[in-house]
């Protein structure tokens, strides 16, 4: 072998370990780039969790709650593998740590002893559906889907389940034939039924039962091995749920009527314009943002000095007393000046500057659109408040006088949505 060939061979031999090392490094990097997989079970419930054929032997699970879970898991650094399975099998698998989690489940005493519950990943609206306008629940023959959240809740709350069925589509047919007097289902699930005879569903009467938060339960083994996942997942849920839970037209009309009564009552209890004048005011936005940063850094565990001063104002004391008198459904009362900063508050809030939030900006937009007074009320979508463990909405309205589409201030109320919709008299 010539010297040149020997040198080529030596170079080739010397480069082999380097090449293999580079390939190994690239392979490891690719592996590390792939997020870990969260193995989850759920159950069929359109439009929240729906199985769909994705190819030969392959099934995808899609739907609104699936989107929320995927979104929050992805932002927490995980991908998901979701499968549809019967509830009994899912609970069995969760007990034995054969899966990482199961959703979307009503709170369960049994599951709370074997798994860790997330913040809500979905919110359902449960109704009694009947063919008659009135219903006597004490004697009604109630039908429900076997193994459903609704059945577990009915049994836990002392209702007698007359008939359990395997498919949601069977319930309207049983109502039509008079086999049952009432069916319990989520409203969206009922209206989403693929029934060729829509007249059955369309002609049913609705009787609101409750808003029902549904959760992801994670196995004890998964939580022990991944202690940082659940706090991170919970942190991202609100953003992933935003805009998914909205009020129906009837619900919004009910909330608007209630809000108008509440605004009138608080206007009688407190001179709102005077309370705004007595509150602190900063003209410079830079100063506002600096104070807001310090405020957010301390709240809600500690009140900054500015917050303490606002809480001691007569306006804040009146708001607190009024809120406590209506605490069944009012969770918060805020008075905001035209600069978007707090002038009075019923309790410590998470931030000082409200000028970039919809409760402020949407009222201004309504005024600019030519609306005035109570017509300019803004009603938010439903959101989950982890600090109170309640689903809430915000309603806000201008406080006069209005000059150049800018009011003297804005009054904003937080309402517990389930209590608000179930409330028919503010006296």
């Amino acid at each position: 072998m010539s010297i040149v060939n020997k040198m080529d061979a030596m170079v080739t031999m010397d480069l082999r370990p380097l090449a293999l090392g580079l390939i190994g490094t690239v392979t490891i990097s690719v592996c590390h780039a792939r997020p870990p997989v969260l193995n989850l079970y759920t159950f069929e419930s359109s439009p929240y969790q729906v199985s769909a054929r994705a190819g030969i032997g392959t099934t995808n699970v899609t739907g609104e709650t699936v989107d929320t879970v995927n979104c929050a898991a992805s932002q927490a650094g995980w991908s998901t593998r979701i499968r549809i399975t019967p509830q009994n099998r899912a609970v069995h698998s969760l007990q034995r740590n054969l899966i990482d989690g199961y959703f979307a489940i009503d709170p369960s005493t049994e599951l709370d002893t074997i798994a860790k519950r997330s913040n809500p990943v979905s919110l359902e609206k449960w109704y009694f559906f009947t063919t008659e306008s009135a219903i006597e629940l004490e004697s009604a023959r109630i039908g429900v889907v076997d193994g459903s959240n609704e059945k577990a809740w009915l049994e836990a709350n002392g209702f007698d389940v007359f008939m359990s069925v395997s498919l949601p589509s069977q319930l309207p047919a049983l109502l039509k034939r008079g086999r049952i007097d009432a069916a319990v289902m989520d409203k969206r699930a009922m209206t989403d039924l693929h029934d060729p005879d829509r007249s059955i569903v369309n002609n049913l009467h609705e009787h609101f039962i409750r808003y029902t938060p549904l959760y992801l339960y994670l196995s004890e083994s998964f939580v022990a091995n991944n202690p940082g996942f659940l706090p991170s997942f919970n942190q991202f849920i609100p953003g992933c749920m935003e805009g998914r839970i909205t009020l129906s037209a009837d619900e919004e009309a009910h909330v608007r009527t209630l809000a108008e009564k509440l605004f009138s009552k608080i206007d009688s209890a407190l001179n709102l314009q005077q309370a705004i004048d007595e509150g602190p005011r900063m003209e410079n936005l830079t100063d506002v943002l600096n104070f807001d940063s310090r405020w957010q850094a301390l709240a809600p565990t500690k009140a900054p000095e500015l917050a303490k001063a606002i809480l001691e104002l007569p306006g804040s004391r009146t708001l607190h007393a009024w809120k406590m008198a209506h605490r069944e459904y009012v969770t918060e009362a805020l008075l905001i000046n035209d600069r978007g900063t707090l002038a009075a508050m019923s309790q410590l809030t998470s931030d000082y500057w409200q000028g970039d939030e919809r409760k402020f900006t949407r009222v201004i937009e309504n005024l600019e659109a030519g609306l005035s007074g109570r017509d300019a009320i803004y009603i938010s979508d439903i959101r989950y408040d982890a600090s109170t463990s309640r689903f809430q909405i915000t309603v806000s309205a201008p406080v006069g006088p209005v000059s150049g589409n800018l009011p003297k201030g804005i009054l904003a109320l937080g309402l517990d949505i389930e209590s608000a919709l179930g409330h028919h008299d503010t006296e």
Side-chain angles (χ1 to χ4, degrees):
M1 181 182 293
S2 67
I3 294 176
V4 172
N5 289 339
K6 286 181 179 180
M7 291 179 65
D8 287 343
M10 291 173 65
V11 170
T12 300
M13 291 177 66
D14 288 343
L15 289 175
R16 283 175 185 167
L18 177 60
L20 290 173
L22 288 171
I23 292 171
T25 301
V26 171
T27 302
I28 292 171
S29 297
V30 170
C31 290
H32 284 175
R34 295 174 182 168
V37 178
L38 190 64
N39 289 294
L40 303 174
Y41 280 169
T42 189
F43 57 93
E44 188 93 16
S45 179
S46 179
Y48 305 103
Q49 303 97 235
V50 185
S51 59
R53 290 282 182 183
I56 299 175
T58 305
T59 302
N60 279 345
V61 182
T62 60
E64 294 180 10
T65 305
V66 173
D67 290 343
T68 296
V69 170
N70 283 338
C71 171
S74 176
Q75 293 192 46
W78 289 69
S79 62
T80 61
R81 182 184 296 115
I82 300 173
R83 286 166 286 181
I84 298 285
T85 191
Q87 186 176 35
N88 290 341
R89 180 183 174 188
V91 173
H92 175 86
S93 300
L94 200 61
Q95 286 174 327
R96 286 156 181 77
N97 293 303
L98 301 177
I99 57 173
D100 297 325
Y102 178 38
F103 74 96
I105 309 301
D106 205 23
S108 161
T109 303
E110 177 188 5
L111 290 180
D112 283 335
T113 62
I114 63 167
K116 297 295 182 183
R117 192 191 332 157
S118 73
N119 287 346
V121 296
S122 182
L123 181 67
E124 292 187 346
K125 304 174 187 179
W126 291 0
Y127 285 79
F128 285 108
F129 292 92
T130 64
T131 56
E132 303 296 331
S133 58
I135 180 174
E136 293 291 339
L137 291 178
E138 293 78 9
S139 58
R141 297 169 299 166
I142 299 174
V144 70
V145 176
D146 193 34
S148 64
N149 290 318
E150 292 91 328
K151 183 180 181 182
W153 182 84
L154 285 168
E155 293 175 340
N157 286 273
F159 289 93
D160 291 325
V161 175
F162 178 76
M163 185 178 296
S164 299
V165 299
S166 57
L167 298 173
S169 58
Q170 295 173 279
L171 293 174
L174 290 171
L175 284 168
K176 184 179 181 181
R177 294 199 298 267
R179 296 283 303 280
I180 58 175
D181 303 314
V184 178
M185 279 185 66
D186 167 69
K187 183 174 181 177
R188 292 281 305 282
M190 175 64 84
T191 57
D192 204 58
L193 287 177
H194 299 292
D195 189 339
D197 185 5
R198 293 299 303 171
S199 63
I200 301 175
V201 173
N202 293 341
N203 291 325
L204 292 176
H205 295 275
E206 303 170 356
H207 313 269
F208 178 75
I209 303 174
R210 64 188 289 243
Y211 271 92
T212 307
L214 302 178
Y215 302 83
L216 164 66
Y217 274 94
L218 294 168
S219 70
E220 291 182 332
S221 174
F222 176 84
V223 173
N225 293 328
N226 304 276
F229 174 81
L230 189 54
S232 181
F233 182 83
N234 285 339
Q235 175 188 348
F236 294 118
I237 288 176
C240 291
M241 288 181 69
E242 187 172 355
R244 297 186 186 278
I245 311 173
T246 58
L247 294 170
S248 68
D250 289 344
E251 291 168 338
E252 183 167 333
H254 180 90
V255 168
R256 181 174 292 275
T257 299
L258 174 61
E260 289 174 353
K261 292 179 180 179
L262 292 174
F263 286 136
S264 295
K265 281 179 169 292
I266 202 167
D267 195 28
S268 300
L270 175 65
N271 185 327
L272 297 173
Q273 295 185 41
Q274 181 179 332
I276 291 173
D277 289 335
E278 291 175 348
R281 182 180 179 85
M282 298 180 193
E283 299 294 342
N284 188 300
L285 182 59
T286 301
D287 292 338
V288 170
L289 296 179
N290 286 336
F291 273 95
D292 188 56
S293 296
R294 294 177 218 163
W295 186 303
Q296 292 187 49
L298 294 174
T301 56
K302 184 179 179 181
E305 291 303 315
L306 178 59
K308 291 179 182 178
I310 294 175
L311 287 169
E312 290 298 320
L313 292 171
S316 293
R317 291 179 179 273
T318 301
L319 286 180
H320 176 72
W322 182 87
K323 182 220 126 178
M324 293 304 293
H326 300 82
R327 61 183 175 274
E328 177 190 351
Y329 43 90
V330 177
T331 61
E332 184 178 53
L334 305 176
L335 190 56
I336 307 163
N337 63 30
D338 61 355
R339 297 296 295 170
T341 58
L342 286 171
M345 56 186 175
S346 61
Q347 66 224 44
L348 179 62
T349 64
S350 59
D351 49 5
Y352 170 57
W353 190 46
Q354 311 289 316
D356 60 341
E357 298 186 13
R358 289 185 177 183
K359 62 171 149 300
F360 184 87
T361 61
R362 290 295 294 273
V363 171
I364 304 302
E365 290 172 8
N366 288 341
L367 292 172
E368 292 173 344
L371 301 177
S372 60
R374 297 293 184 250
D375 291 333
I377 287 176
Y378 163 67
I379 302 174
S380 74
D381 288 334
I382 303 169
R383 71 186 191 283
Y384 179 72
D385 183 356
S387 64
T388 61
S389 298
R390 300 163 87 178
F391 277 94
Q392 301 187 59
I393 60 169
T394 298
V395 293
S396 51
V399 175
V402 176
S403 176
N405 294 324
L406 190 65
K408 185 176 185 67
I410 286 173
L411 176 63
L413 303 178
L415 302 180
D416 177 279
I417 185 57
E418 186 171 356
S419 298
L421 287 179
H423 196 85
H424 298 282
D425 183 10
T426 59
E427 293 296 330

